[in-house]
Amino acid sequence: MAFGLSLVARTKLSGQGAVLTFHGLCADGAPTGVLDSSLHLPVSVFRSVCQHLKKTCEVLPLSEMVRHVNAGKTLPHNAVAITFDDGLGSNYHLGYPILKELGLPATIFLATGFVDGTHPLWFQEVDRALRARGASTAELFAKLGQLKRLPDAEMRAEVAKLTADCAAAHPEVTLPMRWDQAREMKASGLIEFGGHTHSHPILARCTVEQQAEEIRQCCDRITAELGAAPTLFAYPNGGPTDFTADTQRLLAEHGFEASFTMMPARLVSGLTTQALPRYGNPTSMLEAEATVSGAFELLKQWRGGAA
Ligand SMILES: [Zn+2]
């Protein structure tokens, strides 16, 4: 039944692409040590999703999909791109071996200060501090929701207060990759790297000067470590109110050919280059099929049409 719908969707929505977003991966059955495990997909699920994509889709480098879209061309049938946000070490330890084995390309968007080891991801710091206090996942989400609405400087001050007396260790799943690991992945020709700011602020909560500085530092660090300036960008948090017209202008000025949100939709020609859609990571093979085939979109359209 589900696959019947996806077959219809694949036919109706041909020429459209899907971009998937992953964050970290974790060993099967091992405790992650974080309150929000949703950002760390068990490696066996990642493997089955990748195997399914290899069998049923054309997995392309994201830069190639962007070239098609920016040139106003139709995407190849069943075009899919795999992306990872933040620069977690598990991308290298657990994800890269699978991608290499299956010959699948992927793009990793780096928060460069995180990879440098100078700017821990603030939401992971909140997770660590709240977990140490015995908070629940629901309490973490409520706190993060509140923090994400604050201007960046206020949010940072709040996070500093929350984490000041926290001596808990950093769980392994939250550790960044190293630059030499990024270089190794890049040299394989399979993995490309994009920008994701330097300290992972929600850009719309920053001043324009701060936004420019975040984008500049991110470009500079990637250029220095990986030998070429990034041309693709992913917005932290990625919602419609998480970036502004200034953000898009600054990204274009820094040479970014495309920027990706977390707004779920098909990738087609003619969309705003600095606000392209992406889907969250599928948590099962069936969800992967529904996402990449466009079955979810078709259902939305039918429901919209019926309303
Ligand atoms: Zn991120």
Side-chain angles (χ1 to χ4, degrees):
M1 171 68 185
F3 284 114
L5 179 60
S6 70
L7 200 65
V8 175
R10 276 179 195 269
T11 313
K12 279 182 82 87
L13 303 177
S14 70
Q16 305 184 359
V19 184
L20 302 178
T21 310
F22 297 84
H23 287 82
L25 302 171
C26 61
D28 292 312
T32 56
V34 294
L35 285 174
D36 178 10
S37 289
S38 69
L39 294 176
H40 310 282
L41 193 67
V43 67
S44 64
V45 178
F46 181 70
R47 173 181 282 279
S48 67
V49 167
C50 285
Q51 284 169 333
H52 184 70
L53 296 180
K54 186 179 168 72
K55 238 190 300 172
T56 61
C57 301
E58 184 160 357
V59 182
L60 297 173
L62 187 61
S63 57
E64 199 177 319
M65 283 176 67
V66 164
R67 268 197 299 278
H68 269 86
V69 166
N70 284 358
K73 287 193 204 153
T74 305
L75 283 166
H77 194 51
N78 291 332
V80 169
I82 297 169
T83 69
F84 293 86
D85 281 7
D86 299 339
L88 288 153
S90 62
N91 295 176
Y92 174 79
H93 295 295
L94 299 174
Y96 179 52
I98 293 172
L99 295 168
K100 217 167 26 169
E101 180 192 322
L102 299 175
L104 298 178
T107 298
I108 302 176
F109 291 105
L110 299 174
T112 47
F114 175 52
V115 182
D116 281 343
T118 55
H119 295 74
L121 295 175
W122 65 266
F123 50 93
Q124 288 190 168
E125 287 295 274
V126 175
D127 188 307
R128 187 171 66 94
L130 263 58
R131 188 169 190 270
R133 293 176 191 187
S136 66
T137 304
E139 284 167 326
L140 169 71
F141 286 155
K143 179 50 92 180
L144 290 178
Q146 188 193 339
L147 290 168
K148 283 178 181 183
R149 288 191 291 274
L150 296 176
D152 187 65
E154 277 179 49
M155 181 275 281
R156 302 280 177 184
E158 282 287 314
V159 173
K161 258 192 275 174
L162 275 170
T163 56
D165 59 349
C166 180
H170 294 265
E172 198 178 332
V173 296
T174 67
L175 300 178
M177 67 178 63
R178 297 192 316 260
W179 285 111
D180 64 300
Q181 294 168 339
R183 279 190 286 276
E184 182 191 331
M185 289 191 276
K186 188 181 177 202
S188 73
L190 217 48
I191 311 295
E192 53 189 13
F193 289 88
H196 192 50
T197 72
H198 190 64
S199 71
H200 206 286
I202 297 178
L203 287 163
R205 313 291 182 274
C206 297
T207 63
V208 176
E209 291 72 26
Q210 276 178 304
Q211 292 194 44
E213 186 57 16
E214 283 285 339
I215 294 166
R216 184 195 64 74
Q217 270 188 298
C218 178
C219 282
D220 286 357
R221 291 299 297 130
I222 290 176
T223 306
E225 295 289 349
L226 302 181
T231 60
L232 303 175
F233 188 85
Y235 295 107
N237 219 43
T241 59
D242 296 335
F243 57 95
T244 65
D246 281 320
T247 325
Q248 297 183 63
R249 174 182 55 78
L250 288 165
L251 288 165
E253 283 172 10
H254 279 81
F256 286 99
E257 290 165 15
S259 300
F260 286 83
T261 66
M262 284 300 297
M263 296 187 266
R266 315 296 290 168
L267 185 64
V268 291
S269 299
L271 298 175
T272 305
T273 311
Q274 303 297 349
L276 296 175
R278 282 192 304 170
Y279 295 99
N281 70 264
T283 55
S284 68
M285 207 262 281
L286 193 64
E287 195 181 333
E289 174 60 18
T291 306
V292 299
S293 70
F296 278 149
E297 305 302 324
L298 214 55
L299 271 175
K300 261 196 286 182
Q301 286 174 18
W302 284 342
R303 285 187 173 183

